[in-house]
Amino acid sequence: MIYFDNSATTKVDKNVLETYQKVSNKIWGNPSSLHDMGEMSFNLLEQSRKQIASLLNVKSHEIFFTSGGTEGDNWVIKGTAMEKRMYGKHLITTAVEHPAVKNSMEQLAQLGFDITYLPVDDEGRINIQDLKDAIRPDTILVSIMAINNEIGTIQPLLKAAEVLKDYPKVHFHIDAVQGIGKGIQAAIMNDRVDFVTFSGHKFHAPRGVGFIYAREGRRIAPLLTGGGQEKNLRSGTENLPAIAGMAKALRLLLDGEDQKVALQESIKEKIYNHVTKFEKVVAFSKIQANFAPHILCFAIKGVRGETIVHAFESHGIYISTTSACSSKKQQASSTLTAMKIDSTISTSAVRVSLDSANSLEEADEFNRIFDQLYQDFSKINKNS
């Protein structure tokens, strides 16, 4: 079995799973309880927070635990809207954001907020001048993803940060769910960013856990109210086993990051160089520094994406259509649509997403099976 769908989710690391099980069995008190078991849980919670903060070179009180990327995006966007609505109701994002961002913006639009969606070029990247032109006196938030989850475009985060230095009261949010551990941490954790969203299951932690970075001094309203956990900003009993596991997963992810990124780049390039030799293949991802090392999106003209996915699956190779969140709905790629790719091609798009657990030998096997399937598809199209 070859698993090339790591942007959808990653396998929980065995060492992380060991931590999860150990904490579940031995440190299962509520961190809010006053007794010794509660104190032990609280200490581990704060130890995990400090470890994550140290790995990102931020302060521990700037890390807040969530259930994952979707909650983090919703919290930052809606929390900013609620906190700063008396100062303005204009928010800026891009036309290629994950549904967690896009749908949050659309919900706010229904409540009277004004949303600007920055267009993208033929590589799925925004133009910084468009960002400059979009900012208004009533702008309260700019939200830009680090790496596009469908084709792997890296957005110009540092250039956006430079623009926003002239607007210190505007919240700057980065969705880094696809970006952590991919060699761009300096751009993500830049000196102007206010909020960053992370999701554990994208880097071998359990599902249902994540965190946000919230810069000291920046205020957002809570999305979840209740018992007052996370400094009254995110109520709900903390998922301590998953949080401890996530802290370990992040440490393991960033250990030897350069070598891991280089391996993913090599695998991606090997597949890219092979499939792009074929006449009917259109590649949307590129082998460039401004594209992620782990995502390769391409289409075979005349063959629907889900057909390609199931064909590879029959050979034990797991890929996806462009977004796991929309694949079962058979929706066209929102990113490719924003790039003005014709629907006859965008509906044929598939995504290969890699991890350091993958190998060049797996790329060879993928290419071998691709040759076979391409011939099969060509025969079918010729006879239809």
Side-chain angles (χ1 to χ4, degrees):
M1 189 270 283
I2 297 175
Y3 185 73
F4 279 172
D5 195 19
N6 290 281
S7 286
T9 195
T10 57
K11 181 180 179 181
V12 179
D13 184 279
K14 63 179 182 180
N15 296 301
V16 172
L17 185 58
E18 181 180 311
T19 295
Y20 183 96
Q21 293 173 327
K22 183 177 180 180
V23 174
S24 296
N25 289 327
K26 296 185 177 181
I27 312 177
W28 44 267
N30 189 321
S32 297
S33 296
L34 295 177
H35 49 63
D36 288 347
M37 291 186 67
E39 186 68 15
M40 188 183 303
S41 295
F42 177 79
N43 289 339
L44 179 58
L45 179 70
E46 294 310 304
Q47 178 183 330
S48 300
R49 196 187 312 276
K50 289 178 182 177
Q51 179 171 322
I52 290 172
S54 176
L55 291 166
L56 297 180
N57 296 312
V58 299
K59 302 169 184 176
S60 61
H61 62 263
E62 296 176 314
I63 299 299
F64 295 84
F65 297 117
T66 68
S67 64
T70 294
E71 183 193 334
D73 287 340
N74 273 259
W75 181 15
V76 172
I77 293 167
K78 296 174 185 177
T80 292
M82 288 187 286
E83 183 68 30
K84 296 177 71 69
R85 64 190 183 279
M86 66 287 294
Y87 303 109
K89 290 191 173 183
H90 179 232
L91 299 88
I92 300 171
T93 189
T94 82
V96 293
E97 294 298 312
H98 187 276
V101 170
K102 182 181 178 182
N103 293 343
S104 293
M105 294 289 184
E106 290 180 354
Q107 190 174 17
L108 289 176
Q110 294 173 3
L111 297 175
F113 288 82
D114 188 12
I115 314 299
T116 294
Y117 296 94
L118 302 177
V120 295
D121 61 18
D122 59 2
E123 292 185 352
R125 192 170 292 106
I126 63 168
N127 185 306
I128 288 299
Q129 187 61 48
D130 289 337
L131 173 60
K132 292 179 181 178
D133 294 342
I135 298 174
R136 310 186 322 208
D138 62 338
T139 302
I140 57 174
L141 173 72
V142 172
S143 179
I144 302 174
M145 62 176 16
I147 291 177
N148 180 266
N149 57 301
E150 297 187 3
I151 70 170
T153 306
I154 299 175
Q155 296 295 345
L157 303 177
L158 292 178
K159 291 182 179 179
E162 282 300 312
V163 170
L164 291 172
K165 285 180 181 178
D166 292 334
Y167 303 91
K169 294 183 179 180
V170 176
H171 283 181
F172 181 25
H173 167 235
I174 292 176
D175 178 342
V177 167
Q178 293 290 341
I180 188 67
K182 303 305 178 184
I184 62 168
Q185 184 170 314
I188 293 171
M189 305 304 298
N190 63 76
D191 60 3
R192 175 58 182 85
V193 72
D194 299 306
F195 301 95
V196 187
T197 305
F198 301 90
S199 182
H201 79 104
K202 304 297 187 180
F203 54 89
H204 303 285
R207 298 173 193 175
V209 66
F211 65 95
I212 69 166
Y213 160 76
R215 180 181 296 279
E216 183 179 32
R218 290 301 206 186
R219 295 179 59 182
I220 54 173
L223 191 64
L224 301 178
T225 56
Q229 292 86 352
E230 298 298 291
K231 303 181 181 69
N232 288 313
L233 289 174
R234 198 279 184 184
S235 292
T237 302
E238 300 90 347
N239 186 355
L240 185 59
I243 288 171
M246 179 172 62
K248 174 174 276 191
L250 185 61
R251 176 175 62 79
L252 295 173
L253 174 77
L254 299 180
D255 184 25
E257 180 181 5
D258 291 345
Q259 293 85 349
K260 293 173 182 176
V261 168
L263 172 61
Q264 291 166 61
E265 288 175 334
S266 297
I267 298 170
K268 174 185 173 181
E269 186 170 3
K270 193 164 200 174
I271 296 174
Y272 176 91
N273 288 340
H274 185 80
V275 301
T276 53
K277 294 176 183 177
F278 291 80
E279 180 184 2
K280 293 184 178 180
V281 169
V282 179
F284 306 108
S285 308
K286 296 186 178 181
I287 307 299
Q288 296 176 357
N290 55 5
F291 275 86
H294 66 300
I295 295 176
L296 172 58
C297 180
F298 66 89
I300 302 176
K301 293 179 182 178
V303 187
R304 290 190 64 85
E306 57 267 26
T307 301
I308 301 172
V309 168
H310 290 308
F312 272 103
E313 182 186 7
S314 68
H315 291 273
I317 299 176
Y318 293 85
I319 61 174
S320 68
T321 51
T322 50
S323 173
C325 296
S326 61
S327 59
K328 287 191 174 181
K329 301 174 186 177
Q330 297 186 6
Q331 296 175 340
S333 161
S334 59
T335 298
L336 297 182
T337 299
M339 291 164 56
K340 298 180 173 56
I341 302 298
D342 190 276
S343 62
T344 58
I345 298 177
S346 64
T347 52
S348 297
V350 294
R351 179 186 68 186
V352 172
S353 49
L354 308 167
D355 180 74
S356 58
N358 294 126
S359 67
L360 290 167
E361 290 74 21
E362 290 179 332
D364 288 332
E365 178 65 7
F366 178 93
N367 289 342
R368 186 183 73 81
I369 296 301
F370 179 88
D371 292 353
Q372 179 180 328
L373 294 179
Y374 188 89
Q375 290 182 351
D376 292 342
F377 293 143
S378 297
K379 290 177 184 177
I380 294 171
N381 288 340
K382 185 176 182 180
N383 295 329
S384 61

